[in-house]
Amino acid sequence: MELHEPDLSDVPVTAVLAALADDVRLRIVRALAEDGERVCGTFELGVTKATRSHHFKVLREAGLTRTRVAGTSRHIRLRRDELDRRYPGLLDAVLTDRADA
């Protein structure tokens, strides 16, 4: 199964920002930044499986994540290096906990 993962040159910054504007998706991105690649079922998000899948799709289609399918598992990782090259400082700004600033 092949999933749509856009080239970041085709992704406007507004699409990235819109994907990050949701609290659940921001929690996913923060977890991936901290933990690295994770299986999608390991996230405790307090939402249904269908809603969780929707959030992963939004992040993938906005160019924030890559999904690797292995059997019935989907492994999600943050496209950190690519995002930092395309939008320098964006993830650092988003991932900074304002309580620590």
Side-chain angles (χ1 to χ4, degrees), residues 1 3 8-9 11 13 15 19 22 26 43 58 69 78-79 82 87 93 96:
M1 169 181 269
L3 302 172
L8 283 180
S9 64
V11 179
V13 70
D22 182 89
L26 186 55
F43 291 84
V58 170
V69 179
L78 189 60
R79 294 172 68 175
E82 296 169 78
Y87 304 114
T96 299

Side-chain angles (χ1 to χ4, degrees), residues 2-73:
E2 190 170 318
L3 302 172
H4 173 68
E5 294 177 341
D7 186 295
L8 283 180
S9 64
D10 297 330
V11 179
V13 70
T14 53
V16 175
L17 293 172
L20 292 170
D22 182 89
D23 288 338
V24 172
R25 291 192 291 267
L26 186 55
R27 286 176 32 215
I28 292 168
V29 169
R30 284 183 172 151
L32 292 171
E34 185 174 315
D35 301 337
E37 184 178 87
R38 288 179 54 177
V39 175
C40 65
T42 64
F43 291 84
E44 293 296 328
L45 302 170
V47 297
T48 66
K49 183 178 179 180
T51 301
R52 184 177 62 216
S53 293
H54 167 75
H55 287 304
F56 288 129
K57 179 182 177 186
V58 170
L59 290 170
R60 185 181 70 250
E61 291 181 349
L64 286 154
T65 62
R66 287 215 183 269
T67 302
R68 179 173 57 87
V69 179
T72 59
S73 297

